[in-house]
Structure formats: C-alpha cells, structure tokens
Amino acid sequence: MEHSHRQLMESGERQITVVLADDHNVIRAGLRAMLEGEEDLRVIGEAADAPGAQKLARDRRPDVLVLDLQMPGAEPAGDVPRLREEVPGTAIVVLTMQSDPRRARELLRAGAAGYVLKQAAERQLTAAIRAAAAGASYIDPELGGQVAQLGADPLEELSERDRELLRLLALGHTNREIGEKLYLSVRAVEVNRSKLLEKLGLRSRPELVRFAIANGVIDAGREGGGS
C-alpha cells in the first residue's frame, strides 16, 4: 500500500479526501478500511451524528462527504441543501438503507451527488465517491431505473405557497391556524385548499396526508389531526 501511495503522489495525482458520517462505529470502520484500500481515496475525518458531520465538512472541506440519512440530529432534506450552500466544494454522497425511489429523487434534487444503498456499498461506494468528486452524479443502478419510472414530480407544479399549505394541512393544522401562519383569511384558506386538492387530483384531507407522506413532504410519524 505504501508503494502504491508513493507512486500516486509521484504521478502528480491528488487524492480524493473523504469524511464519513454514520452513527454505527462498526459500519464506519468497515467503510474506512474499504476506502483506505484505494490509492486515490483518503479518509480525513469521521462523524457519528449530523452536527458532527456538518462541523467536519465546514472545518476540513473534504472533496466528498459520505452521509448516512438516519443519524441522530439528521434532517436530510434540509441538511443536504444547507451543506451544499455552506461548503459548495464538498459533494455529498448519501449512504442509506432507504430504497424508496421517491426519497432518492428528493435527495438528488436537493443537491446530493450520489445515492448508494448500504447493502451495495462494497460494490458501489467507491464509484459514487469518484463520480461525485468529478462533478458527476451516481445512483444505485437498480434504484435509478425506479426513479426514472416515477415520471414527473407532482410537486413541481406547485408554488411555494401551495407546498407550504400542503405541509400545514398534512400536519393537521386547522384552517384558522393555517390562516395565521400564511396571513390569509379562513375563507381564503378554504378556497386555496380546494384548489390544491383539484391540482393534485385528490378529494379529501386523508388522501392529501397520504400524498404528503408518499412524496416526502412530511414523515409518516408526524401525521396529525385537525379540521
């Protein structure tokens, strides 16, 4: 390994620097061992939670951050665009057990450069890291096919106000509460809710809640009641 590393340095090629973020020590150790077996990759830090990953990314500016979706403190849909803004030179490769193509599409659109399933990490993670460092995108091939089959994202047709209304309705806020948050009258909320249901081809609030969960607008565990 030392000989290969010396050859790499003598050839003038720069190593790709990587930060690993996963809350399981055994998984991190396995990933580090795998990546350190590649002469063009160098792990420069590890984190066990989302705040630690964010701090390492800001402090060490790695070429690639390998980010687990389910670490303590993680809010992937918010963390990815926030990190892309704070550390634009760092590409993010999501490493996850979540094989939901909608989730993959959401994270890639949020700014992730790669989406790799943990069960395929041994075969795909190094390729994803190299692609991300080169400014390209990478997604698990099987999952990529499922993403392609999803077709157009129904959320793309919604305005920012529509999306916020959808979120608040799905979380169970009353029309009055929504009106206070969006600076609308109760009547205006009712009208906008009807228009939103029509746009999405839905007929009721339960259908809207299911739609919001399926499309990553809210988490399944946050469904609420209301009228």
Side-chain angles (χ1 to χ4, degrees), residues 27 30-31 33-35 38 41 95 116-128 130 138 140:
I27 291 178
L31 294 175
M34 178 180 70
L35 298 183
E38 303 292 323
L41 306 180
L95 184 64
V116 176
L117 300 179
K118 284 188 176 181
Q119 54 267 38
E122 187 174 350
R123 302 190 310 275
Q124 299 179 14
L125 184 57
T126 54
R130 291 181 180 116
Y138 185 98
D140 178 283

PDB file of all heavy atoms in Angstrom, residues 27 30-31 33-35 38 41 95 116-128 130 138 140:
ATOM      1  N   ILE A  27     -19.886   0.057  11.113  1.00  0.00           N
ATOM      2  CA  ILE A  27     -20.050   0.412   9.700  1.00  0.00           C
ATOM      3  C   ILE A  27     -18.977   1.402   9.277  1.00  0.00           C
ATOM      4  O   ILE A  27     -18.364   1.266   8.212  1.00  0.00           O
ATOM      5  CB  ILE A  27     -21.453   0.983   9.453  1.00  0.00           C
ATOM      6  CG1 ILE A  27     -22.512  -0.119   9.609  1.00  0.00           C
ATOM      7  CG2 ILE A  27     -21.544   1.615   8.057  1.00  0.00           C
ATOM      8  CD1 ILE A  27     -23.936   0.354   9.432  1.00  0.00           C
ATOM      9  N   GLY A  30     -15.687  -0.324   8.822  1.00  0.00           N
ATOM     10  CA  GLY A  30     -15.658  -1.110   7.591  1.00  0.00           C
ATOM     11  C   GLY A  30     -15.509  -0.230   6.361  1.00  0.00           C
ATOM     12  O   GLY A  30     -14.755  -0.562   5.432  1.00  0.00           O
ATOM     13  N   LEU A  31     -16.209   0.910   6.348  1.00  0.00           N
ATOM     14  CA  LEU A  31     -16.099   1.826   5.217  1.00  0.00           C
ATOM     15  C   LEU A  31     -14.700   2.412   5.125  1.00  0.00           C
ATOM     16  O   LEU A  31     -14.129   2.530   4.036  1.00  0.00           O
ATOM     17  CB  LEU A  31     -17.131   2.954   5.356  1.00  0.00           C
ATOM     18  CG  LEU A  31     -18.604   2.559   5.250  1.00  0.00           C
ATOM     19  CD1 LEU A  31     -19.489   3.764   5.531  1.00  0.00           C
ATOM     20  CD2 LEU A  31     -18.923   1.974   3.874  1.00  0.00           C
ATOM     21  N   ALA A  33     -11.892   1.095   6.199  1.00  0.00           N
ATOM     22  CA  ALA A  33     -10.968   0.066   5.734  1.00  0.00           C
ATOM     23  C   ALA A  33     -11.091  -0.131   4.224  1.00  0.00           C
ATOM     24  O   ALA A  33     -10.088  -0.282   3.515  1.00  0.00           O
ATOM     25  CB  ALA A  33     -11.238  -1.251   6.469  1.00  0.00           C
ATOM     26  N   MET A  34     -12.320  -0.115   3.731  1.00  0.00           N
ATOM     27  CA  MET A  34     -12.535  -0.300   2.304  1.00  0.00           C
ATOM     28  C   MET A  34     -11.950   0.866   1.507  1.00  0.00           C
ATOM     29  O   MET A  34     -11.244   0.658   0.510  1.00  0.00           O
ATOM     30  CB  MET A  34     -14.028  -0.421   2.014  1.00  0.00           C
ATOM     31  CG  MET A  34     -14.368  -0.579   0.541  1.00  0.00           C
ATOM     32  SD  MET A  34     -16.150  -0.725   0.267  1.00  0.00           S
ATOM     33  CE  MET A  34     -16.700   0.947   0.659  1.00  0.00           C
ATOM     34  N   LEU A  35     -12.213   2.092   1.955  1.00  0.00           N
ATOM     35  CA  LEU A  35     -11.746   3.252   1.207  1.00  0.00           C
ATOM     36  C   LEU A  35     -10.231   3.406   1.284  1.00  0.00           C
ATOM     37  O   LEU A  35      -9.593   3.841   0.319  1.00  0.00           O
ATOM     38  CB  LEU A  35     -12.430   4.519   1.730  1.00  0.00           C
ATOM     39  CG  LEU A  35     -13.957   4.562   1.578  1.00  0.00           C
ATOM     40  CD1 LEU A  35     -14.498   5.901   2.060  1.00  0.00           C
ATOM     41  CD2 LEU A  35     -14.386   4.303   0.145  1.00  0.00           C
ATOM     42  N   GLU A  38      -8.035   1.931  -1.347  1.00  0.00           N
ATOM     43  CA  GLU A  38      -7.996   2.554  -2.665  1.00  0.00           C
ATOM     44  C   GLU A  38      -6.956   3.668  -2.647  1.00  0.00           C
ATOM     45  O   GLU A  38      -7.020   4.581  -1.835  1.00  0.00           O
ATOM     46  CB  GLU A  38      -9.367   3.130  -3.018  1.00  0.00           C
ATOM     47  CG  GLU A  38     -10.504   2.120  -2.992  1.00  0.00           C
ATOM     48  CD  GLU A  38     -10.374   1.110  -4.110  1.00  0.00           C
ATOM     49  OE1 GLU A  38      -9.944   1.499  -5.223  1.00  0.00           O
ATOM     50  OE2 GLU A  38     -10.712  -0.072  -3.883  1.00  0.00           O
ATOM     51  N   LEU A  41      -8.101   7.465  -2.702  1.00  0.00           N
ATOM     52  CA  LEU A  41      -9.049   7.959  -1.712  1.00  0.00           C
ATOM     53  C   LEU A  41      -8.366   8.086  -0.358  1.00  0.00           C
ATOM     54  O   LEU A  41      -7.561   7.242   0.033  1.00  0.00           O
ATOM     55  CB  LEU A  41     -10.252   7.022  -1.596  1.00  0.00           C
ATOM     56  CG  LEU A  41     -11.003   6.687  -2.892  1.00  0.00           C
ATOM     57  CD1 LEU A  41     -12.161   5.742  -2.598  1.00  0.00           C
ATOM     58  CD2 LEU A  41     -11.505   7.952  -3.578  1.00  0.00           C
ATOM     59  N   LEU A  95     -25.607   7.657   1.868  1.00  0.00           N
ATOM     60  CA  LEU A  95     -25.487   6.217   2.075  1.00  0.00           C
ATOM     61  C   LEU A  95     -26.619   5.802   3.000  1.00  0.00           C
ATOM     62  O   LEU A  95     -26.716   6.278   4.128  1.00  0.00           O
ATOM     63  CB  LEU A  95     -24.131   5.876   2.701  1.00  0.00           C
ATOM     64  CG  LEU A  95     -23.818   4.397   2.894  1.00  0.00           C
ATOM     65  CD1 LEU A  95     -23.737   3.668   1.558  1.00  0.00           C
ATOM     66  CD2 LEU A  95     -22.510   4.214   3.666  1.00  0.00           C
ATOM     67  N   VAL A 116     -26.446   5.857  -2.568  1.00  0.00           N
ATOM     68  CA  VAL A 116     -25.980   4.469  -2.554  1.00  0.00           C
ATOM     69  C   VAL A 116     -26.648   3.719  -1.409  1.00  0.00           C
ATOM     70  O   VAL A 116     -26.708   4.219  -0.281  1.00  0.00           O
ATOM     71  CB  VAL A 116     -24.441   4.414  -2.383  1.00  0.00           C
ATOM     72  CG1 VAL A 116     -23.963   2.965  -2.273  1.00  0.00           C
ATOM     73  CG2 VAL A 116     -23.759   5.119  -3.549  1.00  0.00           C
ATOM     74  N   LEU A 117     -27.147   2.538  -1.690  1.00  0.00           N
ATOM     75  CA  LEU A 117     -27.736   1.706  -0.648  1.00  0.00           C
ATOM     76  C   LEU A 117     -26.638   1.008   0.145  1.00  0.00           C
ATOM     77  O   LEU A 117     -25.649   0.541  -0.439  1.00  0.00           O
ATOM     78  CB  LEU A 117     -28.683   0.675  -1.270  1.00  0.00           C
ATOM     79  CG  LEU A 117     -29.854   1.260  -2.073  1.00  0.00           C
ATOM     80  CD1 LEU A 117     -30.707   0.136  -2.656  1.00  0.00           C
ATOM     81  CD2 LEU A 117     -30.700   2.172  -1.208  1.00  0.00           C
ATOM     82  N   LYS A 118     -26.805   0.930   1.466  1.00  0.00           N
ATOM     83  CA  LYS A 118     -25.761   0.344   2.302  1.00  0.00           C
ATOM     84  C   LYS A 118     -25.449  -1.089   1.914  1.00  0.00           C
ATOM     85  O   LYS A 118     -24.294  -1.519   1.961  1.00  0.00           O
ATOM     86  CB  LYS A 118     -26.170   0.409   3.779  1.00  0.00           C
ATOM     87  CG  LYS A 118     -26.024   1.793   4.385  1.00  0.00           C
ATOM     88  CD  LYS A 118     -26.253   1.780   5.880  1.00  0.00           C
ATOM     89  CE  LYS A 118     -26.013   3.165   6.470  1.00  0.00           C
ATOM     90  NZ  LYS A 118     -26.208   3.200   7.940  1.00  0.00           N
ATOM     91  N   GLN A 119     -26.483  -1.833   1.508  1.00  0.00           N
ATOM     92  CA  GLN A 119     -26.252  -3.226   1.158  1.00  0.00           C
ATOM     93  C   GLN A 119     -25.417  -3.376  -0.114  1.00  0.00           C
ATOM     94  O   GLN A 119     -24.897  -4.454  -0.396  1.00  0.00           O
ATOM     95  CB  GLN A 119     -27.577  -3.979   1.019  1.00  0.00           C
ATOM     96  CG  GLN A 119     -28.585  -3.352   0.063  1.00  0.00           C
ATOM     97  CD  GLN A 119     -29.550  -2.416   0.760  1.00  0.00           C
ATOM     98  OE1 GLN A 119     -29.172  -1.689   1.674  1.00  0.00           O
ATOM     99  NE2 GLN A 119     -30.818  -2.442   0.350  1.00  0.00           N
ATOM    100  N   ALA A 120     -25.288  -2.270  -0.865  1.00  0.00           N
ATOM    101  CA  ALA A 120     -24.479  -2.317  -2.086  1.00  0.00           C
ATOM    102  C   ALA A 120     -23.204  -1.490  -1.960  1.00  0.00           C
ATOM    103  O   ALA A 120     -22.494  -1.280  -2.942  1.00  0.00           O
ATOM    104  CB  ALA A 120     -25.303  -1.811  -3.269  1.00  0.00           C
ATOM    105  N   ALA A 121     -22.902  -1.019  -0.759  1.00  0.00           N
ATOM    106  CA  ALA A 121     -21.781  -0.104  -0.570  1.00  0.00           C
ATOM    107  C   ALA A 121     -20.457  -0.707  -1.019  1.00  0.00           C
ATOM    108  O   ALA A 121     -19.626  -0.022  -1.624  1.00  0.00           O
ATOM    109  CB  ALA A 121     -21.689   0.321   0.898  1.00  0.00           C
ATOM    110  N   GLU A 122     -20.262  -1.975  -0.750  1.00  0.00           N
ATOM    111  CA  GLU A 122     -18.984  -2.602  -1.106  1.00  0.00           C
ATOM    112  C   GLU A 122     -18.741  -2.548  -2.613  1.00  0.00           C
ATOM    113  O   GLU A 122     -17.610  -2.412  -3.066  1.00  0.00           O
ATOM    114  CB  GLU A 122     -18.959  -4.057  -0.618  1.00  0.00           C
ATOM    115  CG  GLU A 122     -17.610  -4.732  -0.808  1.00  0.00           C
ATOM    116  CD  GLU A 122     -17.561  -6.115  -0.190  1.00  0.00           C
ATOM    117  OE1 GLU A 122     -18.507  -6.479   0.544  1.00  0.00           O
ATOM    118  OE2 GLU A 122     -16.591  -6.837  -0.456  1.00  0.00           O
ATOM    119  N   ARG A 123     -19.813  -2.628  -3.394  1.00  0.00           N
ATOM    120  CA  ARG A 123     -19.682  -2.634  -4.849  1.00  0.00           C
ATOM    121  C   ARG A 123     -19.735  -1.227  -5.441  1.00  0.00           C
ATOM    122  O   ARG A 123     -19.150  -0.984  -6.499  1.00  0.00           O
ATOM    123  CB  ARG A 123     -20.807  -3.466  -5.494  1.00  0.00           C
ATOM    124  CG  ARG A 123     -20.868  -4.903  -5.030  1.00  0.00           C
ATOM    125  CD  ARG A 123     -21.852  -5.705  -5.892  1.00  0.00           C
ATOM    126  NE  ARG A 123     -23.159  -5.053  -6.029  1.00  0.00           N
ATOM    127  CZ  ARG A 123     -24.148  -5.182  -5.156  1.00  0.00           C
ATOM    128  NH1 ARG A 123     -23.966  -5.921  -4.066  1.00  0.00           N
ATOM    129  NH2 ARG A 123     -25.311  -4.589  -5.342  1.00  0.00           N
ATOM    130  N   GLN A 124     -20.431  -0.300  -4.775  1.00  0.00           N
ATOM    131  CA  GLN A 124     -20.759   0.954  -5.443  1.00  0.00           C
ATOM    132  C   GLN A 124     -20.197   2.225  -4.810  1.00  0.00           C
ATOM    133  O   GLN A 124     -20.131   3.259  -5.478  1.00  0.00           O
ATOM    134  CB  GLN A 124     -22.282   1.085  -5.532  1.00  0.00           C
ATOM    135  CG  GLN A 124     -22.942  -0.022  -6.342  1.00  0.00           C
ATOM    136  CD  GLN A 124     -24.450   0.126  -6.394  1.00  0.00           C
ATOM    137  OE1 GLN A 124     -24.997   1.170  -6.050  1.00  0.00           O
ATOM    138  NE2 GLN A 124     -25.131  -0.916  -6.823  1.00  0.00           N
ATOM    139  N   LEU A 125     -19.822   2.173  -3.540  1.00  0.00           N
ATOM    140  CA  LEU A 125     -19.474   3.428  -2.871  1.00  0.00           C
ATOM    141  C   LEU A 125     -18.250   4.093  -3.475  1.00  0.00           C
ATOM    142  O   LEU A 125     -18.229   5.319  -3.654  1.00  0.00           O
ATOM    143  CB  LEU A 125     -19.259   3.192  -1.371  1.00  0.00           C
ATOM    144  CG  LEU A 125     -18.990   4.463  -0.555  1.00  0.00           C
ATOM    145  CD1 LEU A 125     -20.131   5.467  -0.717  1.00  0.00           C
ATOM    146  CD2 LEU A 125     -18.799   4.120   0.919  1.00  0.00           C
ATOM    147  N   THR A 126     -17.216   3.335  -3.791  1.00  0.00           N
ATOM    148  CA  THR A 126     -16.015   3.961  -4.358  1.00  0.00           C
ATOM    149  C   THR A 126     -16.327   4.630  -5.698  1.00  0.00           C
ATOM    150  O   THR A 126     -15.847   5.719  -5.984  1.00  0.00           O
ATOM    151  CB  THR A 126     -14.880   2.934  -4.527  1.00  0.00           C
ATOM    152  OG1 THR A 126     -15.363   1.822  -5.300  1.00  0.00           O
ATOM    153  CG2 THR A 126     -14.390   2.438  -3.172  1.00  0.00           C
ATOM    154  N   ALA A 127     -17.153   3.971  -6.514  1.00  0.00           N
ATOM    155  CA  ALA A 127     -17.532   4.563  -7.803  1.00  0.00           C
ATOM    156  C   ALA A 127     -18.335   5.846  -7.585  1.00  0.00           C
ATOM    157  O   ALA A 127     -18.158   6.838  -8.308  1.00  0.00           O
ATOM    158  CB  ALA A 127     -18.349   3.564  -8.617  1.00  0.00           C
ATOM    159  N   ALA A 128     -19.226   5.825  -6.581  1.00  0.00           N
ATOM    160  CA  ALA A 128     -20.026   7.011  -6.291  1.00  0.00           C
ATOM    161  C   ALA A 128     -19.153   8.165  -5.823  1.00  0.00           C
ATOM    162  O   ALA A 128     -19.359   9.320  -6.214  1.00  0.00           O
ATOM    163  CB  ALA A 128     -21.080   6.678  -5.238  1.00  0.00           C
ATOM    164  N   ARG A 130     -15.938   8.684  -6.490  1.00  0.00           N
ATOM    165  CA  ARG A 130     -15.149   9.199  -7.612  1.00  0.00           C
ATOM    166  C   ARG A 130     -16.009  10.039  -8.557  1.00  0.00           C
ATOM    167  O   ARG A 130     -15.572  11.070  -9.053  1.00  0.00           O
ATOM    168  CB  ARG A 130     -14.495   8.035  -8.357  1.00  0.00           C
ATOM    169  CG  ARG A 130     -13.397   7.335  -7.550  1.00  0.00           C
ATOM    170  CD  ARG A 130     -12.748   6.212  -8.319  1.00  0.00           C
ATOM    171  NE  ARG A 130     -11.704   5.568  -7.531  1.00  0.00           N
ATOM    172  CZ  ARG A 130     -11.740   4.301  -7.131  1.00  0.00           C
ATOM    173  NH1 ARG A 130     -12.783   3.523  -7.464  1.00  0.00           N
ATOM    174  NH2 ARG A 130     -10.764   3.791  -6.413  1.00  0.00           N
ATOM    175  N   TYR A 138     -24.260   9.947  -9.193  1.00  0.00           N
ATOM    176  CA  TYR A 138     -24.282   8.486  -9.160  1.00  0.00           C
ATOM    177  C   TYR A 138     -25.483   8.041  -8.338  1.00  0.00           C
ATOM    178  O   TYR A 138     -25.742   8.571  -7.265  1.00  0.00           O
ATOM    179  CB  TYR A 138     -23.006   7.935  -8.519  1.00  0.00           C
ATOM    180  CG  TYR A 138     -22.921   6.421  -8.561  1.00  0.00           C
ATOM    181  CD1 TYR A 138     -22.184   5.777  -9.531  1.00  0.00           C
ATOM    182  CD2 TYR A 138     -23.594   5.640  -7.615  1.00  0.00           C
ATOM    183  CE1 TYR A 138     -22.117   4.392  -9.585  1.00  0.00           C
ATOM    184  CE2 TYR A 138     -23.541   4.258  -7.668  1.00  0.00           C
ATOM    185  CZ  TYR A 138     -22.803   3.638  -8.646  1.00  0.00           C
ATOM    186  OH  TYR A 138     -22.746   2.269  -8.697  1.00  0.00           O
ATOM    187  N   ASP A 140     -27.603   4.223  -7.288  1.00  0.00           N
ATOM    188  CA  ASP A 140     -27.676   2.767  -7.400  1.00  0.00           C
ATOM    189  C   ASP A 140     -28.422   2.419  -8.693  1.00  0.00           C
ATOM    190  O   ASP A 140     -29.531   2.903  -8.922  1.00  0.00           O
ATOM    191  CB  ASP A 140     -28.438   2.223  -6.179  1.00  0.00           C
ATOM    192  CG  ASP A 140     -28.605   0.724  -6.219  1.00  0.00           C
ATOM    193  OD1 ASP A 140     -29.487   0.254  -6.978  1.00  0.00           O
ATOM    194  OD2 ASP A 140     -27.894   0.017  -5.507  1.00  0.00           O
TER     195      ASP A 140
END
